[in-house]
Amino acid sequence: RAARWAADPARDDEPGRITVLPQRVRELRDLLLDVAALRALLDDRAELENDRPARREVAGRLIEAQQSLAHVIVETYGGAHSRWFHRHENQTVASARQIDELLSDAADATYPQTPQVWNELIVRRQLSAAATKARRNLVEAMLDRAGEERLGLAGFPPERAIYESVMRAGGLHRQGDAGGWAFGPPTAADPLRLRPAWDALDRLIAAEAPEPHPLTELFAALEAPPFGVKAGLTPLLFMALYKAREGEIVLYERENYVPIPDMALFERLLTRPQHFAVRLSRADGARREVYRRFAEELAPRALAQPVQPALLTATLPLFRLMRDLPEFSKQTRRISAQAQAFRSALREARAPDQLLFERLPAACALPPFQPAAPADPAQLERFISALRAAMQELQAAYPGLLRDLAERIRAAFRCAAADHAALRAEIHARYSLIADTTGDIQIRGLGVRLETADEAGDAWVESVAALVTKRPPELWADKDIAAFELGIMKLGNQFGAAEDIAVAAQAVPHAAPLLHVGITNGQGEVRRVLHLAPDDPAVQRLSADLSAALGRHLALTADQRAAALAEILQSMLKAE
């Protein structure tokens, strides 16, 4: 029955199968039973544990039985004592050389489209540690220096040998007509026979599917007949195709879309491809015009890519914008509903084409761009304008927060400074007058931050905000703003009280621009330390106006005029 099965014409469709029918089965069976019985005796009989001579005897017999078995296996499956079949035909096998030739013929029939790469480092199922490192270095060079000759590899490290034998010899990395170097499909000559595997990988990635294609399935297809690409080489072919179609192939790690791949991600891809999947982004029909207009306005580099449309490259500025935003801007609701929808679209995107033609239009309150319907120029312009506005609003959210915080600080400390730098200088000058008399930890912390923060910019505002809330403002949620408002008012009151104490204790210099004012009547007492600004032109003008007004009432006594001023001053201090 076995012979009839092996000679059946159906075996012609199984080029990878070689069938051997041994003729000395009974002798082989007896020897197999002997080996199995002696192994069981050694492993299972407790009596032999403490009987060393008996154990040596059994072990010696097992070695003899194994040697006899090996000899009989060679004879049994040799040409003289067995029948060999390949593709339903009886094969003549009388020597080890003929076995090798038969195996070679079977391999040629099974893998007729396998690449012919002559490099022992990379053409392996399992790479050595040195080859793994060389492949990683080569991938890094492919990502960072694709436009350079030999990928910028100097000298003759192992990665240079892999590059020369695969990328350069196979025509995958070559110089274009304009003189630049780039990756592309194998040349027409295809000396390494890479084209069949390349085309198969390209078709698999481009195939329509509801979900991204698992990378392990793509690699398995290349390693299976008729290609037989070794596992060490498949990631390099994928990377070459990825670079050749840069801007189109989208990566997913653990089912999450990766908008901005980096070398760390590709290192994980090389070692754990089971966590990755890919798909091809598309811009069919009228969507190409949407892509072109979008790229002209927001991502001109995408139009320079050799493969068009480069949707991944086109959407990268949006994802970089999102990545570089402070955490506050990524979660605040103190922006318009449209900017929030734009932010959500970027956060939830699953592919560049889905983002550009469906999610972003929806975020801008526009219908999606369909491939079959021509693009409406007016709708397209509204789309671009809405995207610009949303991007600008997101970018302005955090600077706007810092401006609000500076205003809160100005109000809490009752400052008159007009800009942030002057505000910092004013508070710092007032602090220096009371630094030696206050032991308040919070006020001293304020002084340190005012002294050490950069004078230019808003770094000091961020530092003071972090002091008040114990959390950097770039990490704030909206609820932290209310906590800051309460905290900064409390700190401002503490600061004013410290100034009161310093003046009352006469601990400040006589020339210090501080004035301690106190008004007492039957209804209570109001006290305040005022920070004077004698050189302020507006203050000088008001002082002159008041002096002139008092001069028009010389009929009143000095006490009467002072009482009028005190009444006005008391109402002003109470109002504050």
Side-chain angles (χ1 to χ4, degrees):
R1 286 198 301 271
R4 285 196 300 272
W5 179 87
D8 191 318
R11 303 287 82 74
D12 197 47
D13 297 330
E14 302 171 356
R17 186 194 300 278
I18 296 175
T19 306
V20 186
L21 300 182
Q23 304 301 302
R24 299 172 58 182
V25 176
R26 183 174 298 279
E27 184 179 357
L28 183 63
R29 176 180 181 275
D30 293 341
L31 284 171
L32 284 168
L33 287 173
D34 285 348
V35 171
L38 289 167
R39 279 182 176 171
L41 186 62
L42 270 178
D43 295 340
D44 301 336
R45 296 303 294 267
E47 298 91 327
L48 294 181
E49 287 293 329
N50 300 317
D51 192 344
R52 296 182 62 186
R55 189 173 180 80
R56 280 199 302 270
E57 176 70 18
V58 173
R61 291 190 181 184
L62 175 59
I63 293 173
E64 292 176 0
Q66 289 173 328
Q67 292 173 343
S68 299
L69 175 62
H71 178 72
V72 170
I73 286 175
V74 171
E75 288 191 344
T76 299
Y77 288 92
H81 302 288
S82 60
R83 298 173 62 191
W84 293 64
F85 293 85
H86 180 230
R87 305 186 81 166
H88 86 272
E89 293 183 356
N90 200 343
Q91 304 291 322
T92 300
V93 175
S95 65
R97 176 167 184 160
Q98 288 178 321
I99 293 177
D100 291 342
E101 291 174 352
L102 179 58
L103 290 172
S104 180
D105 292 341
D108 288 342
T110 305
Y111 301 104
Q113 296 180 343
T114 189
Q116 295 180 347
V117 175
W118 303 99
N119 186 298
E120 293 184 355
L121 282 173
I122 200 68
V123 185
R124 292 178 176 272
R125 289 190 180 89
Q126 291 185 335
L127 300 184
S128 65
T132 299
K133 181 179 179 181
R135 185 177 65 177
R136 182 258 176 222
N137 293 342
L138 177 57
V139 168
E140 184 175 24
M142 293 171 69
L143 292 172
D144 297 341
R145 302 187 295 275
E148 300 180 26
E149 184 178 3
R150 292 190 298 274
L151 301 178
L153 297 172
F156 297 93
E159 52 266 29
R160 169 76 181 278
I162 299 173
Y163 166 80
E164 295 288 350
S165 58
V166 180
M167 304 298 168
R168 188 71 176 270
L172 301 181
H173 189 239
R174 55 184 181 270
Q175 193 172 25
D177 296 336
W181 288 79
F183 284 91
T187 58
D190 195 15
L192 303 186
R193 204 162 65 179
L194 293 170
R195 192 67 191 232
W198 178 280
D199 290 344
L201 183 59
D202 200 11
R203 286 193 303 271
L204 289 169
I205 293 176
E208 290 278 4
E211 294 294 331
H213 305 286
L215 201 58
T216 49
E217 291 185 6
L218 303 183
F219 287 180
L222 292 187
E223 293 164 16
F227 310 109
V229 182
K230 288 293 193 294
L233 181 60
T234 46
L236 287 184
L237 289 182
F238 169 76
M239 289 302 306
L241 179 60
Y242 177 84
K243 290 297 294 181
R245 303 199 65 164
E246 193 166 17
E248 288 187 296
I249 296 178
V250 182
L251 290 172
Y252 298 82
E253 183 177 15
R254 297 182 184 273
E255 301 182 358
N256 294 317
Y257 170 45
V258 183
I260 309 178
D262 54 16
M263 187 56 208
L265 177 133
F266 285 103
E267 285 190 62
R268 297 193 297 273
L269 184 149
L270 292 173
T271 57
R272 294 183 292 276
Q274 67 272 18
H275 296 156
F276 290 84
V278 297
R279 73 181 290 271
L280 196 67
S281 290
R282 305 175 185 279
D284 302 322
R287 287 181 168 182
R288 281 183 172 266
E289 176 60 22
V290 178
Y291 157 77
R292 185 193 63 78
R293 184 75 182 88
F294 175 88
E296 284 177 348
E297 290 292 329
L298 300 175
R301 287 184 58 189
L303 298 174
Q305 293 291 328
V307 178
Q308 293 293 322
L311 291 175
L312 182 60
T313 306
T315 55
L316 274 181
L318 303 182
F319 288 109
R320 288 198 176 106
L321 163 70
M322 187 69 178
R323 179 194 64 186
D324 296 339
L325 288 175
E327 286 302 315
F328 171 80
S329 302
K330 294 178 182 179
Q331 59 187 338
T332 182
R333 294 187 176 275
R334 291 159 53 97
I335 55 177
S336 67
Q338 184 166 294
Q340 292 183 50
F342 170 81
R343 184 178 61 191
S344 297
L346 289 176
R347 185 182 292 127
E348 298 166 6
R350 292 281 297 160
D353 48 352
Q354 178 200 61
L355 173 69
L356 183 57
F357 305 126
E358 297 175 18
R359 286 191 173 273
L360 286 180
C364 299
L366 296 170
F369 296 103
Q370 301 294 346
D376 179 0
Q379 177 187 346
L380 191 49
E381 291 307 314
R382 289 198 300 273
F383 176 57
I384 298 297
S385 297
L387 288 183
R388 283 191 179 279
M391 293 170 65
Q392 291 169 359
E393 190 172 352
L394 276 174
Q395 289 174 313
Y398 187 64
L401 171 68
L402 295 182
R403 287 194 297 272
D404 291 345
L405 299 185
E407 289 302 319
R408 296 290 180 182
I409 294 172
R410 177 182 287 109
F413 286 83
R414 301 180 182 89
C415 295
D419 59 68
H420 292 193
L423 176 61
R424 173 189 174 276
E426 179 178 338
I427 299 175
H428 184 255
R430 290 167 59 184
Y431 169 77
S432 63
L433 297 175
I434 63 172
D436 295 335
T437 61
T438 182
D440 189 299
I441 296 177
Q442 193 82 335
I443 294 177
R444 285 193 171 277
L446 171 67
V448 169
R449 289 167 187 259
L450 291 171
E451 290 173 355
T452 57
D454 292 337
E455 294 187 8
D458 295 322
W460 74 272
V461 177
E462 295 176 298
S463 185
V464 171
L467 170 70
V468 172
T469 61
K470 305 297 188 287
R471 182 177 170 86
E474 64 180 13
L475 302 179
W476 281 7
D478 289 343
K479 62 181 181 181
D480 293 311
I481 298 175
F484 171 78
E485 292 174 353
L486 293 174
I488 197 64
M489 289 302 299
K490 180 180 178 182
L491 180 58
N493 291 334
Q494 291 173 227
F495 194 89
E499 288 180 319
D500 283 343
I501 294 171
V503 171
Q506 298 182 349
V508 298
H510 293 295
L514 295 178
L515 180 64
H516 185 256
V517 178
I519 300 176
T520 304
N521 58 21
Q523 298 177 350
E525 182 179 30
V526 179
R527 291 183 177 276
R528 181 69 49 80
V529 172
L530 302 180
H531 182 261
L532 303 182
D535 298 329
D536 189 336
V539 173
Q540 293 176 351
R541 285 195 299 272
L542 178 58
S543 178
D545 291 345
L546 291 174
S547 297
L550 291 174
R552 291 195 297 272
H553 297 276
L554 294 178
L556 298 176
T557 66
D559 288 347
Q560 288 174 318
R561 285 179 287 173
L565 287 176
E567 186 175 346
I568 296 172
L569 181 59
Q570 184 178 30
S571 63
M572 291 177 61
L573 295 178
K574 284 184 175 180
E576 292 187 9

